[in-house]
Amino acid sequence: MKEGPDIAQIGALIGDPARANMLAALTGGRALTATELAAAGGITLQTASSHLSKLESGGLLAQRKQGRHRYFTLADEAVARLIESMMGLAASRGHLRHQPGPKDPALRKARICYDHLAGDFGVRMLDSLVATGSIDAIGDGLAVTAKGESDLQCIGIDVGSLKSSRRPLCRSCLDWSERRAHLAGSLGKALLANFMEKGWARRMPESRSVMFSTEGERQFLKLFPLET
Amino acid sequence: MKEGPDIAQIGALIGDPARANMLAALTGGRALTATELAAAGGITLQTASSHLSKLESGGLLAQRKQGRHRYFTLADEAVARLIESMMGLAASRGHLRHQPGPKDPALRKARICYDHLAGDFGVRMLDSLVATGSIDAIGDGLAVTAKGESDLQCIGIDVGSLKSSRRPLCRSCLDWSERRAHLAGSLGKALLANFMEKGWARRMPESRSVMFSTEGERQFLKLFPLET
DNA sequence: AGAATGCTTCGGTTACGATCGAAGTATGAA
DNA sequence: TTCATACTTCGATCGTAACCGAAGCATTCT
């Protein structure tokens, strides 16, 4: 007993519903202010402030002062991955929270996961990239092939420059709604950014869901065909 | 807000120190009785009983009645992975709990992680397998090569039969003490079992640490050389 | 300077859950 | 049958932390 690092501290931080809601909101990747997070957690600003300082000193959040605002983000990608994997486990154990509302299908179709595309569309994209030989997959490991590198160049993504970053290029991320992997890492981020630049997709305010325009969806589906 | 599965329930389950200690103890892979878990959590049997029923109905534990004992294990490998990744995060945030005692170095050298070898030795083994071309690594993904398959056959591990199981053959698992990957999956399990069969290593009671005999350690280091 | 916004700190209340003693159930041993 | 072990349930206590109102800083706007 008493072996290894203390997981109870982290568990307790995530274990409070208000804090969990705030963390989930931050999984959207946007930096949010204390006031916005208070709303996300369903609590007053005072209470949120106390929670936020706990989360920060616990190492789960980072903050950035900007004028009279204080912006919070998840401390790093490791935290985002932990939250996502807890969502995966929670979903598989039936710990659901939402009365399936109108927003839910949109969320399952396409949503943002920290900084990349998730949901049905995210899973489809990775499936297609693997099927067309743009990405090699070994277990959970992903790597861009030479073919993939040139294909992506055509879309307008320079894989070479992404490689130089410290962050891994490809990473698989388990999707809690689809229970299958989608593409994370700097390439996943670049792809989503690319879609938004082209006007194919845009983020919905106050939500993690990503809306595709009619034309954008057409282009997306054409670009990432699904061979059955 | 209120999007997705409820991570707070799972967080809260892990967030209590007594429960966290019990879960950490179960990461040792052994099935433990309620009495043993009460000791691991540092609480009385009554309290442990209440915690255990919560953990079970929360889907984190599975239990098996056997005579008048009730054996608990982690519900599945997904739970084990979550606990391990929380340990990794906790370690990186400096949420340590142990005053570095005599047991600690042994734990860092070689310990059990659910059912496979972790710690310095676990990391070294994977490094060596990759360096000698027995395992291909792409990012976090691992796959046994043809060479690896025949090499492992020589040690006494039939990769072919492991492949037929539903469980993935190779999986990388982040080591909280080394902060690097070691080998999990059915192959990781088979390798550790192989070492113990040969008498190279044995588990210490009441602990996650794995002790190598002098001769066992010599053989292990020879079998998994480290080219620097 | 004065006013407004964004956030933190303080103080006091409240509620939940962790805890254990004692009693109850189930299984196995004598 | 009786006793012992392994565990659960009940009941009561106690501590902690979540919560909000009010007041206090800090920054920006006018």
Side-chain angles (χ1 to χ4, degrees):
Chain A
M1 63 216 96
K2 298 253 178 140
E3 290 174 359
D6 188 8
I7 56 175
Q9 289 184 39
I10 294 193
L13 283 174
I14 304 178
D16 178 79
R19 286 195 291 259
N21 285 333
M22 295 194 276
L23 288 168
L26 286 169
T27 313
R30 284 199 179 105
L32 298 175
T33 64
T35 309
E36 290 170 320
L37 287 167
I43 47 179
T44 63
L45 184 57
Q46 303 92 295
T47 310
S49 178
S50 143
H51 283 311
L52 288 169
S53 70
K54 283 173 193 169
L55 286 169
E56 198 201 353
S57 65
L60 297 187
L61 291 188
Q63 60 161 307
R64 209 175 59 221
K65 287 188 72 167
Q66 205 167 92
R68 59 182 156 182
H69 294 275
R70 186 155 294 201
Y71 285 96
F72 291 87
T73 56
L74 298 184
D76 55 33
E77 211 192 336
V79 176
R81 279 211 299 279
L82 179 67
I83 305 287
E84 279 291 321
S85 70
M86 286 186 73
M87 282 191 182
L89 196 70
S92 78
R93 304 300 131 117
H95 295 306
L96 300 179
R97 185 179 43 172
H98 45 189
Q99 54 284 27
K103 269 186 353 191
D104 199 55
L107 214 59
R108 286 176 182 273
K109 180 177 175 186
R111 67 175 178 280
I112 206 162
C113 170
Y114 195 46
D115 59 6
H116 54 270
L117 187 63
D120 179 37
F121 271 37
V123 169
R124 180 197 171 109
M125 182 172 75
L126 178 57
D127 281 350
S128 177
L129 285 167
V130 170
T132 58
S134 293
I135 288 186
D136 264 351
I138 289 185
D140 285 341
L142 303 174
V144 178
T145 61
K147 175 181 184 301
E149 200 153 336
S150 73
D151 284 0
L152 288 166
Q153 194 69 259
C154 297
I155 309 178
I157 291 176
D158 182 30
V159 175
S161 68
L162 291 178
K163 273 183 188 161
S164 57
S165 108
R166 205 176 49 81
R167 184 176 171 198
L169 182 64
C170 300
R171 193 183 267 287
S172 79
C173 178
L174 192 64
D175 200 291
W176 56 258
S177 58
E178 299 291 316
R179 305 236 194 130
R180 304 207 16 234
H182 61 248
L183 178 65
S186 62
L187 179 58
K189 175 180 179 175
L191 277 162
L192 177 60
N194 185 270
F195 303 152
M196 299 209 286
E197 261 172 40
K198 286 176 177 162
W200 292 3
R202 62 196 162 79
R203 299 205 44 181
M204 301 308 285
E206 313 269 326
S207 163
R208 290 178 63 187
S209 64
V210 171
M211 282 294 292
F212 276 74
S213 68
T214 323
E215 176 59 14
E217 180 161 340
R218 212 180 59 77
Q219 296 278 0
F220 179 90
L221 296 177
K222 199 177 96 189
L223 190 59
F224 301 107
L226 214 58
E227 36 202 82
T228 42
Chain B
M1 62 221 90
K2 299 256 177 136
E3 289 173 358
D6 189 7
I7 57 175
Q9 290 185 39
I10 294 192
L13 284 174
I14 303 177
D16 178 79
R19 284 194 293 257
N21 285 334
M22 294 194 278
L23 288 168
L26 287 170
T27 312
R30 284 199 180 104
L32 298 175
T33 65
T35 309
E36 289 169 319
L37 286 167
I43 48 179
T44 62
L45 184 58
Q46 303 91 296
T47 309
S49 177
S50 143
H51 283 312
L52 288 169
S53 70
K54 283 174 192 169
L55 286 169
E56 198 202 354
S57 65
L60 297 187
L61 292 189
Q63 61 161 307
R64 208 176 59 219
K65 286 189 73 167
Q66 204 167 93
R68 58 183 158 183
H69 294 276
R70 186 156 293 200
Y71 284 98
F72 291 87
T73 56
L74 298 184
D76 55 34
E77 210 191 338
V79 176
R81 279 210 299 280
L82 180 67
I83 305 287
E84 279 291 322
S85 69
M86 285 184 75
M87 283 191 180
L89 196 71
S92 77
R93 304 300 131 115
H95 295 307
L96 300 179
R97 186 180 42 173
H98 45 190
Q99 55 283 25
K103 269 187 353 192
D104 200 55
L107 213 59
R108 286 176 182 275
K109 181 178 176 187
R111 67 174 179 281
I112 205 161
C113 171
Y114 195 47
D115 59 6
H116 54 271
L117 187 64
D120 180 36
F121 271 37
V123 170
R124 179 198 172 109
M125 180 172 77
L126 178 57
D127 281 350
S128 177
L129 285 166
V130 170
T132 58
S134 293
I135 287 186
D136 263 351
I138 288 187
D140 286 339
L142 304 173
V144 179
T145 62
K147 174 180 184 303
E149 198 153 338
S150 73
D151 284 1
L152 288 166
Q153 193 70 259
C154 297
I155 308 177
I157 290 176
D158 182 29
V159 175
S161 68
L162 291 177
K163 272 183 188 161
S164 57
S165 109
R166 206 175 50 81
R167 185 176 171 199
L169 182 64
C170 299
R171 192 183 268 288
S172 79
C173 179
L174 192 64
D175 199 289
W176 58 257
S177 58
E178 299 291 317
R179 304 237 195 133
R180 303 203 21 231
H182 61 247
L183 178 65
S186 61
L187 179 58
K189 175 180 180 175
L191 277 161
L192 177 59
N194 185 269
F195 304 151
M196 299 209 287
E197 261 171 41
K198 287 175 178 163
W200 292 4
R202 62 194 163 82
R203 298 205 45 180
M204 301 307 286
E206 313 270 326
S207 165
R208 291 177 62 187
S209 64
V210 171
M211 283 294 291
F212 276 74
S213 68
T214 322
E215 175 61 13
E217 180 161 342
R218 212 181 58 77
Q219 297 278 1
F220 178 90
L221 296 177
K222 199 177 94 189
L223 189 60
F224 301 107
L226 213 58
E227 36 202 82
T228 42

